[in-house]
Amino acid sequence: MNRKLKVSGFQLLCMIFLFINGTSPPIEIYALAKQDAWMSLLLGLIMGCLLFLVYIKLYTFFPDVPFTKYIQYILGKYVGKMLALIYILYFIYIGARVLRNFEELMIITLYNASSHISIGILMMIVVIYASHKGIEVFARGTEFIFLFIMLLIFIIIGLEIISGLIKINNLRPVLESGWKPVLKATPILIANPFGEIFTFTMILPYLNKQKNVVKVGITAYLFSGLILTLFSMLNASIMGVSEIVRTIYPLLTAVSYISIADFVQRMDTFIIVISVCNFFVKITIYFYCAVSGAADLFGIKESKQLVYPTSVIMLVCSIWMTSNYVALRNQASDVVPFLLQIPLQIIIPVCLILIVLLKRKLKYPAF
């Protein structure tokens, strides 16, 4: 993992798109907002976009170092190092949750007789290989994955239209219960998936043209959020909210309904392919951030030395964090956003930028 390597603007766009779409929005938002869940997604996207601007502003203050490094500049050596360690553990834990989601998807859809650990090991082997190749090689790989997935997305949307599956009436009535359910579901979405863009505070320093960070970052972020919102509307219009809340993977179920002349069928296989690619990118980014952050924190020159220990920790966490998929889903909507994601992705970064602005106003040394 050579810190001197750079990524282009398009590569950053590809990584952000694949990262945001790496996991689906929590199904619980449909139970809260019902057919208006797409409005919650748009509100979450807008709030998340403002939050991303906070991350970018922090980045412009310290453009050459990752978050776990400049947090020490802002808060001091001891408090900064303690928080940096907490963020490294956070990257490992959330990466392990994504890995567990991948394991559950594979077992439920394709490999019913396999174990979580065997599937997790296979994914971690690929992640380790990508990490050894470095961020630049990984970023180039995301370009191909992005183009491949976009082609499949256009094909799937086209087939859903041709099959006549889309029923707009399933999105009505709009705001049947007012704005309260929509607003109630929004905080969950700000934390997951939109707030997870915080992770890129560890990657932005590698952007080769730093002046383009706002244009590239916001464009990628908005595009990713709009695709999520589009598929949320499509899923709801195809299945209806009552069926979505009973499914495990709404997109997979919606696409499985595609049937054209009894010839074009079983398109859900392509959704699994897309999901595997997205999971790989998202897990690798979390893994890379944890390893590079730990190397900086502990002064390890060769961050590759931490690849194997970190992979073992992430794999073990993915197995032990919960006993079943239902508990994993409940944690994702009831526990993780409020105990981890909102404090670490929203509250602390906002406090940090206020501290930096205050120190700059007071003409504090080094600021």
Side-chain angles (χ1 to χ4, degrees), residues 216-244:
V216 174
I218 296 299
T219 300
Y221 189 78
L222 291 175
F223 180 56
S224 306
L226 291 174
I227 290 294
L228 279 180
T229 304
L230 173 61
F231 272 109
S232 172
M233 296 176 71
L234 289 173
N235 294 340
S237 62
I238 291 172
M239 295 187 291
V241 174
S242 59
E243 186 174 349
I244 286 180

Side-chain angles (χ1 to χ4, degrees), residues 124-139:
M124 289 311 301
I125 289 173
V126 182
V127 170
I128 289 170
Y129 177 78
S131 300
H132 272 293
K133 288 298 181 180
I135 188 66
E136 190 178 46
V137 174
F138 170 72

Side-chain angles (χ1 to χ4, degrees), residues 26-28 30-31 108 238-251 253 257 325-326 329:
I27 297 176
E28 286 68 23
Y30 294 98
I108 291 172
I238 291 172
M239 295 187 291
V241 174
S242 59
E243 186 174 349
I244 286 180
V245 295
R246 295 196 302 267
T247 61
I248 298 177
Y249 301 106
L251 179 58
T253 304
Y257 291 161
Y325 184 67
V326 174
R329 277 179 51 178

Side-chain angles (χ1 to χ4, degrees), residues 55-340:
Y55 304 151
I56 291 175
K57 188 65 176 177
L58 281 171
Y59 160 74
T60 58
F61 290 145
F62 308 95
D64 299 320
V65 292
F67 178 84
T68 51
K69 191 72 173 178
Y70 63 69
I71 195 175
Q72 299 173 48
Y73 298 157
I74 298 172
L75 298 178
K77 180 179 179 181
Y78 298 105
V79 176
K81 283 184 177 292
M82 181 182 68
L83 270 178
L85 179 60
I86 290 173
Y87 274 100
I88 291 165
L89 295 176
Y90 162 78
F91 293 142
I92 294 174
Y93 176 75
I94 300 298
R97 290 189 65 83
V98 180
L99 178 61
R100 179 59 181 267
N101 276 312
F102 167 74
E103 294 165 0
E104 295 288 354
L105 173 66
M106 291 295 99
I107 289 175
I108 291 172
T109 57
L110 296 178
Y111 304 109
N112 307 96
S114 298
S115 63
H116 289 91
I117 192 167
S118 60
I119 294 174
I121 288 173
L122 291 175
M123 173 56 83
M124 289 311 301
I125 289 173
V126 182
V127 170
I128 289 170
Y129 177 78
S131 300
H132 272 293
K133 288 298 181 180
I135 188 66
E136 190 178 46
V137 174
F138 170 72
R140 287 200 299 267
T142 60
E143 292 181 279
F144 170 77
I145 296 174
F146 171 78
L147 295 174
F148 173 69
I149 287 178
M150 287 307 302
L151 175 63
L152 291 182
I153 286 175
F154 283 122
I155 291 174
I156 288 168
I157 293 175
L159 292 176
E160 286 181 338
I161 295 172
I162 295 171
S163 298
L165 297 174
I166 300 174
K167 300 177 180 62
I168 301 299
N169 285 335
N170 286 335
L171 297 175
R172 299 170 182 165
V174 177
L175 294 176
E176 180 181 15
S177 303
W179 283 97
K180 186 176 179 180
V182 175
L183 296 175
K184 192 174 180 180
T186 301
I188 299 174
L189 293 167
I190 296 174
N192 176 28
F194 296 122
E196 290 184 307
I197 196 68
F198 164 81
T199 310
F200 280 81
T201 56
M202 299 292 292
I203 295 176
L204 290 179
Y206 304 119
L207 186 62
N208 60 358
K209 294 182 180 179
Q210 297 178 347
K211 63 181 180 180
N212 294 334
V213 62
V214 175
K215 180 175 68 175
V216 174
I218 296 299
T219 300
Y221 189 78
L222 291 175
F223 180 56
S224 306
L226 291 174
I227 290 294
L228 279 180
T229 304
L230 173 61
F231 272 109
S232 172
M233 296 176 71
L234 289 173
N235 294 340
S237 62
I238 291 172
M239 295 187 291
V241 174
S242 59
E243 186 174 349
I244 286 180
V245 295
R246 295 196 302 267
T247 61
I248 298 177
Y249 301 106
L251 179 58
L252 196 64
T253 304
V255 172
S256 68
Y257 291 161
I258 293 175
S259 178
I260 301 175
D262 292 328
F263 177 71
V264 179
Q265 295 176 328
R266 301 296 300 172
M267 297 301 295
D268 48 324
T269 304
F270 290 100
I271 296 299
I272 296 175
V273 172
I274 292 174
S275 298
V276 170
C277 293
N278 286 336
F279 275 122
F280 161 67
V281 172
K282 192 160 191 171
I283 294 168
T284 303
I285 289 174
Y286 272 119
F287 184 80
Y288 174 81
C289 292
V291 170
S292 61
D296 282 330
L297 181 63
F298 298 113
I300 299 174
K301 294 182 178 179
E302 288 292 332
S303 55
K304 290 182 180 180
Q305 297 175 14
L306 298 175
V307 167
Y308 293 106
T310 305
S311 65
V312 172
I313 294 172
M314 187 175 285
L315 178 62
V316 171
C317 284
S318 74
I319 305 300
W320 286 354
M321 66 172 49
T322 184
S323 58
N324 55 64
Y325 184 67
V326 174
L328 187 70
R329 277 179 51 178
N330 291 337
Q331 288 178 4
S333 59
D334 300 334
V335 180
V336 176
F338 303 102
L339 292 184
L340 284 179

